[in-house]
Amino acid sequence: MKKDRLLSLDVFRGITIAAMILVNDPGSWSYVYSPLLHAKWHGCTPTDLVFPFFLFMVGVAVSLGSPKEGEDRKKITYKIIKRSLYLFLIGLFLNAFPYFELSTLRIPGVLQRIGLVFLVIGLMHHYISTQTQIITSAGLLVLYWLLMTFMPVPDFGVANLEPETNFAAWFDRLFLSGHMWKYSKTWDPEGLLSTLPSIVTGLLGMFTGKLLFGTDDKLSGIVRLFVLANVIIALGLAWDMTFPINKSLWTSSFVLYTAGIAMHFFAVLYWVLDIKKYRTDFTFPFQVFGSNAITAYALSGVLATTFGVIKIGDESIQGILFNSLFNLFGDHHFASLVYALAFVAVCYVPVWVLYRRNIFIKV
């Protein structure tokens, strides 16, 4: 297997994208099992792990990248900037679709954050030393903690971590007023300031890749990774006592806690799939999803919006399908879950076709 095509990375990415589609697309938001919902504010549910897992894998993938022989720095920089820009623009398109009301267009988003994180960690990987990267990571987490817990919030007074009156929400309104999350409009879970600690999530993925792939003793690398994972999980839980684990704020404790779990998960997959070469039909669908992850995510966004806005009579396609499932099973929550699973299967078909044709769309 090529070094830049790790089965464990594809499978991990595929599991994460499938989970992301699953939690984003229930039959009805009124009927969702609690593990498939984000924590209401502080705390962490299985759903809260999905996005940091993906950013973590962006870092792992970046660690595998190395300049081609004779490739100059300007060309490397151009490639990184171009890919970041494409991710950002695809994210804007998904936010705008289908009405394209630019005056109220939400600027932040999942792909936008992925693009920004990739831009920063990609340049750091190629231009600064690992030691400087580690110092920068620690500095960003501490800086964000200080800003969020000690910096007075203009117009609101003392520092706080409430949804609308925390420093990150104020900072985002300063630059993004009228272009934030439609469910709040006063703060955004993928806002500007909280992108700073999310960069560290990507960097921790990059350090993981360097730790695993930078040595010929793979077993030793995996053992060290397990130890590191436990240490940063413990640090995250300790920090949680003063700076609570919170996905919407992307707190420093959230970064450490979720990255530690991701390290454990990836280490197991790497050992089983790439070291021991264990193969099973169970992993194949996730390998397919992971090989065209951004395509699958973008497709799911377009389909979900289309199903929600196209009406047959007075009801949307999504509503008709969900009610049909409820009539079949007689349980709202189970019908909503079945709808989400079916939606994941629908999104799987086109990426499976691409995989069979050996087409891997790189943004």
Side-chain angles (χ1 to χ4, degrees), residues 145 149 161 238-244:
W145 167 61
T149 57
L161 298 177
W239 212 341
D240 173 62
M241 292 186 284
T242 58
F243 193 23

Side-chain angles (χ1 to χ4, degrees), residues 299-317:
L299 174 65
S300 73
V302 171
L303 283 178
T305 302
T306 301
F307 286 3
V309 299
I310 294 180
K311 295 184 179 295
I312 299 176
D314 295 327
E315 198 165 16
S316 68
I317 294 175

Side-chain angles (χ1 to χ4, degrees), residues 86-269:
Y86 283 166
L87 286 166
F88 200 94
L89 291 176
I90 293 170
L92 286 181
F93 171 83
L94 293 177
N95 285 353
F97 182 82
Y99 300 115
F100 297 94
E101 295 176 354
L102 301 185
S103 62
T104 57
L105 173 65
R106 181 193 179 202
I107 294 176
V110 169
L111 290 184
Q112 294 90 314
R113 174 163 285 183
I114 292 173
L116 290 173
V117 169
F118 174 74
L119 173 66
V120 175
I121 69 174
L123 293 175
M124 291 178 71
H125 174 61
H126 287 290
Y127 292 110
I128 66 175
S129 67
T130 299
Q131 182 180 10
T132 304
Q133 293 165 13
I134 293 171
I135 294 171
T136 301
S137 298
L140 285 174
L141 293 183
V142 172
L143 173 63
Y144 188 63
W145 167 61
L146 293 173
L147 287 174
M148 294 297 289
T149 57
F150 292 98
M151 179 69 71
V153 184
D155 303 325
F156 294 102
V158 297
N160 68 90
L161 298 177
E162 296 303 312
E164 298 187 358
T165 59
N166 65 77
F167 189 80
W170 170 83
F171 186 88
D172 290 342
R173 286 194 295 272
L174 196 63
F175 296 98
L176 299 172
S177 181
H179 296 278
M180 292 189 286
W181 194 39
K182 66 180 179 180
Y183 298 108
S184 167
K185 299 185 180 179
T186 58
W187 62 276
D188 199 293
E190 279 81 50
L192 292 172
L193 195 63
S194 60
T195 297
L196 289 178
S198 72
I199 291 169
V200 183
T201 301
L203 286 170
L204 286 168
M206 194 166 75
F207 299 150
T208 295
K210 291 180 179 181
L211 185 62
L212 284 181
F213 314 134
T215 176
D216 292 330
D217 187 353
K218 302 303 181 185
L219 179 59
S220 175
I222 290 172
V223 170
R224 289 199 298 270
L225 183 59
F226 276 126
V227 172
L228 176 61
N230 287 326
V231 168
I232 69 169
I233 287 174
L235 288 173
L237 290 173
W239 212 341
D240 173 62
M241 292 186 284
T242 58
F243 193 23
I245 291 171
N246 185 304
K247 185 264 180 189
S248 294
L249 294 176
W250 214 278
T251 54
S252 303
S253 56
F254 176 78
V255 171
L256 296 177
Y257 178 69
T258 56
I261 296 173
M263 286 177 179
H264 277 300
F265 197 21
F266 182 66
V268 170
L269 287 175

Side-chain angles (χ1 to χ4, degrees), residues 19-64:
M20 192 177 288
I21 296 171
L22 180 73
V23 300
N24 284 347
D25 300 288
S28 170
W29 284 108
S30 299
Y31 305 101
V32 182
Y33 292 115
S34 56
L36 301 179
L37 291 171
H38 291 291
K40 290 184 178 179
W41 193 238
H42 298 323
C44 186
T45 72
T47 297
D48 291 316
L49 297 174
V50 174
F51 193 12
F53 274 19
F54 197 89
L55 286 182
F56 177 88
M57 285 180 289
V58 170
V60 175
V62 167
S63 74
L64 293 168

